[in-house]
Amino acid sequence: GAVVSQHPSRVICKSGTSVKIECRSLDFQATTMFWYRQFPKQSLMLMATSNEGSKATYEQGVEKDKFLINHASLTLSTLTVTSAHPEDSSFYICSATPGTEVEKLFFGSGTQLSVL
Amino acid sequence: AQKITQTQPGMFVQEKEAVTLDCTYDTSDPSYGLFWYKQPSSGEMIFLIYQGSYDQQNATEGRYSLNFQKARKSANLVISASQLGDSAMYFCAMREASGTYKYIFGTGTRLKVLA
């Protein structure tokens, strides 16, 4: 099956620093990638939809200047949390859909971000 | 607007028994897809089963089956012969065929399989 690789799996950073999370589709071309945020024991909340070569579409309430998304190629999307603060601590998970299998959404393994 | 509702925050089932996890949805789009994902404590999201809105038969994948009641807008997941490894969080999700192709998720059901 299709594989989506997400790194790092866990990151601890100081308040005010920026953190970059990578999401790669390993064996398919992902024209669209999605970034989700999940608080403990809660559902996945869509943050933004990332299309290759174009600007990401952010959900209402998500600060685009805080959460920078770049989808530079068909296999790579990055999420940068800029000037992170403790309230940004969360589980971030990316997902990708190959154009030929739109009925499936493949997920990365997630990144646990802790901002001190 | 599309919406997914999972009304069972937690469920218990005895090992080897079957269990049904409820999911109802709401959409105005005639074409949509319904999914179930499993999330163990490690955090990864594992695809379980998919049902298209135009599929005539209920989807099945091994021990998983989806009880699709289109008129009731329900898409319940049935797990047969539960195993201890089935203990996890289960999310129902929906994708509309039109528009932005976004996937939305329900609030999840935590399943605990008892030995």
Side-chain angles (χ1 to χ4, degrees), chain A residues 51-114:
Chain A
N51 291 298
E52 186 267 337
S54 63
K55 290 184 178 180
T57 302
Y58 290 82
E59 294 300 299
Q60 191 173 9
V62 178
E63 299 177 60
K64 59 182 66 177
D65 294 331
K66 158 70 81 176
F67 301 100
L68 299 178
I69 292 172
N70 184 277
H71 194 156
S73 75
L74 285 171
T75 60
L76 174 65
S77 178
T78 60
L79 167 67
T80 300
V81 183
T82 62
S83 186
H85 291 283
E87 58 265 30
D88 298 325
S89 298
S90 188
F91 187 68
Y92 294 86
I93 190 165
C94 71
S95 62
T97 178
T100 55
E101 280 191 273
V102 293
E103 69 274 12
K104 287 187 179 180
L105 190 63
F106 299 98
F107 284 86
S109 53
T111 298
Q112 182 64 52
L113 171 63
S114 299

Side-chain angles (χ1 to χ4, degrees), chain B:
Chain B
Q2 54 181 335
K3 185 179 179 181
I4 289 281
T5 302
Q6 293 180 254
T7 58
Q8 305 155 314
M11 290 280 287
F12 290 95
V13 65
Q14 205 67 36
E15 193 178 10
K16 300 181 184 178
E17 298 287 313
V19 63
T20 298
L21 306 184
D22 295 341
C23 173
T24 58
Y25 62 92
D26 190 22
T27 179
S28 56
D29 196 327
S31 180
Y32 50 89
L34 297 160
F35 308 76
W36 278 92
Y37 286 86
K38 172 184 177 181
Q39 186 180 42
S41 57
S42 58
E44 61 187 307
M45 294 288 284
I46 302 169
F47 167 80
L48 295 179
I49 197 166
Y50 163 81
Q51 180 85 43
S53 59
Y54 293 119
D55 292 344
Q56 295 295 315
Q57 294 188 331
N58 288 343
T60 59
E61 290 282 353
R63 294 187 298 112
Y64 305 107
S65 61
L66 198 151
N67 185 359
F68 183 43
Q69 304 278 329
K70 195 170 183 177
R72 293 184 175 183
K73 292 189 175 180
S74 72
N76 299 340
L77 176 70
V78 180
I79 305 175
S80 62
S82 297
Q83 302 171 355
L84 295 178
D86 293 335
S87 294
M89 195 74 171
Y90 288 81
F91 291 99
C92 181
M94 179 171 67
R95 173 192 60 80
E96 289 183 342
S98 61
T100 61
Y101 294 86
K102 290 189 298 187
Y103 293 71
I104 63 164
F105 289 80
T107 51
T109 296
R110 183 165 296 280
L111 177 67
K112 176 70 174 177
V113 180
L114 305 174

Side-chain angles (χ1 to χ4, degrees), chain A residues 10-84:
Chain A
R10 182 177 294 272
V11 58
I12 300 172
C13 69
K14 292 182 178 180
S15 185
T17 61
S18 295
V19 174
K20 180 184 283 189
I21 303 169
E22 287 191 353
C23 181
R24 293 180 184 271
S25 56
L26 298 184
D27 53 1
F28 67 95
Q29 292 186 330
T31 55
T32 304
M33 289 186 172
F34 303 91
W35 287 94
Y36 291 87
R37 181 174 183 176
Q38 186 180 29
F39 291 104
K41 299 184 180 180
Q42 293 190 24
S43 186
L44 280 72
M45 300 301 296
L46 180 64
M47 298 175 66
T49 302
S50 169
N51 291 298
E52 186 267 337
S54 63
K55 290 184 178 180
T57 302
Y58 290 82
E59 294 300 299
Q60 191 173 9
V62 178
E63 299 177 60
K64 59 182 66 177
D65 294 331
K66 158 70 81 176
F67 301 100
L68 299 178
I69 292 172
N70 184 277
H71 194 156
S73 75
L74 285 171
T75 60
L76 174 65
S77 178
T78 60
L79 167 67
T80 300
V81 183
T82 62
S83 186

